[in-house]
Amino acid sequence: MTLTASRSVDLLVGAQTRWGSIPASTEHEVYQFGWLRDGSWCAYALDVAGHHEQAGAWHRWVARTLLDHSARFDQACEAVRHGAVTGAVMMPARFTLDGHEEEPSADDEEEWPNFQTDCYGFWLWALADHVNRGGLLDDTLTAAADLVIRYLLVAGQTPCFDCWEENPGNVHTSSLAAVAAGLRDAGRMLGYDSAIAAADQITARVTGPEHTLGGAFIRFPGDTRVDGSLLWLAVPFGLVEVTDPTFVNTVTRIQQELVVPGGGVRRYLGDTFYGGSEWILLAASLGWVQTQRGDTATGAAMLDWIEAAATVDGMLPEQAQDHVQSPYMLQFWRAKWGQTATPLLWSHAMHVVLNDVCRSGSA
């Protein structure tokens, strides 16, 4: 089966549960949760594809779930104020598909990291985009957005795990970008001046010397490597323009250090998750950025590569593993979790987005 954008949309729509949640993967046993970050991309892709009702259902699932856990937000904010932040007390990045938290572990140590501030910024960003496209902003969505804004005003710059669920205890550039974009867009949507002011302050931090080195953005202070998630600073978050010199230098580093010739995009140098493979979603992000910079050939090449990476059933994996950084760690993860998650709904969401970008120039 040839992978088409309609096939990816059908997979997204078909994966949605009766509650409105969307799992990270319909098949991979380990990924049977609803991540706010993954789901934000899926809802965004559904809106891009004109499936506003399904996108709205996902946003309402998030809102109901978060409001059901409103007491946890208060606990998390108090933990930040008192310097008592742990993974067990901060708001989780994922929930069960029916809107509950996972069962707590026997101790406070997270075997599978769950404290990631970017997820909440992603949701506010995606919700504001949904409303801008004509989605209904009802009382439930408003109350949940207000709750998340108040949480991010307190916790949004707290050291945590990054968007790859790694590197705890750091303030990550792409995480700050997600928080800033979410506060900015939701603040405008709700007329929340303090959120807009905080977004401006965080943006200034991201674009300042703390998160840049040698004229390019870095992963986080103390780690000078470039990361594929830094593409999101310009697209879709718009914290900087695609023509911004620091961003242009960052893209150049990504192309030189992370792009496999004729292939996709790795997360970062030294990645060992499933061998440090090429990620479908990052190939789409690079294609999106380059198309907006006028390099339509790279956008088309990334789209072709993504579609060629699909299985015979037209399903996209999380990563393509033709050129791994560590074959040993590829075998390690296969023994631990099985084959890479397929289909990964976030991969399909980005396929939908890049297809639209290549066709129209912008999503």
Side-chain angles (χ1 to χ4, degrees):
M1 175 185 294
T2 301
L3 177 62
T4 62
S6 61
R7 167 64 172 164
S8 285
V9 171
D10 288 345
L11 285 169
L12 293 171
V13 172
Q16 192 163 34
T17 70
R18 61 187 176 89
W19 302 289
S21 55
I22 300 175
S25 174
T26 53
E27 302 294 333
H28 200 270
E29 181 179 357
V30 182
Y31 283 15
Q32 295 298 300
F33 295 95
W35 271 263
L36 299 189
R37 176 178 47 250
D38 295 45
S40 293
W41 283 110
C42 292
Y44 178 78
L46 288 169
D47 270 325
V48 166
H51 288 259
H52 306 302
E53 181 178 348
Q54 287 82 1
W58 183 79
H59 285 296
R60 289 191 295 275
W61 170 77
V62 173
R64 292 192 305 269
T65 298
L66 297 184
L67 291 172
D68 286 345
H69 293 83
S70 58
R72 289 275 283 103
F73 281 89
D74 294 334
Q75 294 168 5
C77 289
E78 284 302 302
V80 175
R81 294 187 182 103
H82 292 93
V85 171
T86 67
V89 71
M90 300 306 290
M91 291 304 301
R94 61 185 179 272
F95 294 89
T96 63
L97 297 178
D98 60 352
H100 294 89
E101 285 193 69
E102 297 171 76
E103 291 296 324
S105 59
D107 54 40
D108 287 341
E109 295 299 320
E110 293 179 280
E111 180 181 359
W112 191 0
N114 211 359
F115 170 38
Q116 303 146 45
T117 55
D118 69 297
C119 293
Y120 289 86
F122 264 108
W123 180 61
L124 291 179
W125 160 78
L127 175 63
D129 179 82
H130 174 68
V131 172
N132 285 338
R133 294 175 188 267
L136 174 65
L137 182 65
D138 59 22
D139 291 344
T140 300
L141 289 170
T142 298
D146 179 82
L147 185 66
V148 173
I149 287 173
R150 289 189 283 113
Y151 173 66
L152 290 180
L153 288 176
V154 175
Q157 300 184 66
T158 305
C160 62
F161 289 89
D162 63 18
C163 65
W164 310 126
E165 303 180 337
E166 299 175 349
N167 299 296
N170 291 291
V171 181
H172 306 281
T173 307
S174 65
S175 297
L176 287 180
V179 171
L183 287 173
R184 178 199 63 205
D185 293 353
R188 292 171 179 170
M189 179 178 68
L190 299 180
Y192 212 137
D193 290 341
S194 60
I196 298 171
D200 290 341
Q201 183 268 322
I202 296 171
T203 299
R205 182 180 183 184
V206 168
T207 56
E210 185 182 9
H211 291 270
T212 59
L213 184 70
F217 293 105
I218 58 174
R219 303 179 74 207
F220 56 84
D223 189 332
T224 61
R225 286 174 292 179
V226 72
D227 192 290
S229 64
L230 296 173
L231 293 165
W232 305 333
L233 269 65
V235 178
F237 293 145
L239 267 63
V240 295
E241 298 293 332
V242 294
T243 54
D244 176 86
T246 305
F247 184 73
V248 170
N249 289 338
T250 305
V251 175
T252 298
R253 282 196 67 185
I254 289 171
Q255 290 176 308
Q256 292 176 347
E257 299 175 26
L258 304 183
V259 173
V260 174
V265 183
R266 293 166 171 158
R267 299 192 299 180
Y268 56 89
L269 290 178
D271 184 11
T272 61
F273 183 61
Y274 277 90
S277 309
E278 304 153 83
W279 283 60
I280 303 294
L281 61 95
L282 289 178
S285 290
L286 180 60
W288 188 358
V289 164
Q290 291 300 83
T291 299
Q292 291 212 344
R293 292 178 65 196
D295 180 6
T296 57
T298 294
M302 287 295 165
L303 183 60
D304 288 344
W305 178 81
I306 288 169
E307 293 178 348
T311 67
V312 294
D313 297 324
M315 296 191 294
L316 288 171
E318 187 174 56
Q319 317 100 4
Q321 295 158 346
D322 298 326
H323 305 93
V324 299
Q325 299 183 63
S326 172
Y328 171 80
M329 291 305 296
L330 174 61
Q331 296 307 315
F332 170 85
W333 282 103
R334 284 177 172 173
K336 182 180 177 68
W337 276 3
Q339 297 295 319
T340 188
T342 308
L344 189 83
L345 276 302
W346 187 358
S347 294
H348 282 280
M350 296 304 293
H351 173 236
V352 171
V353 172
L354 181 58
N355 182 81
D356 187 76
V357 167
C358 289
R359 180 175 52 82
S360 65
S362 63

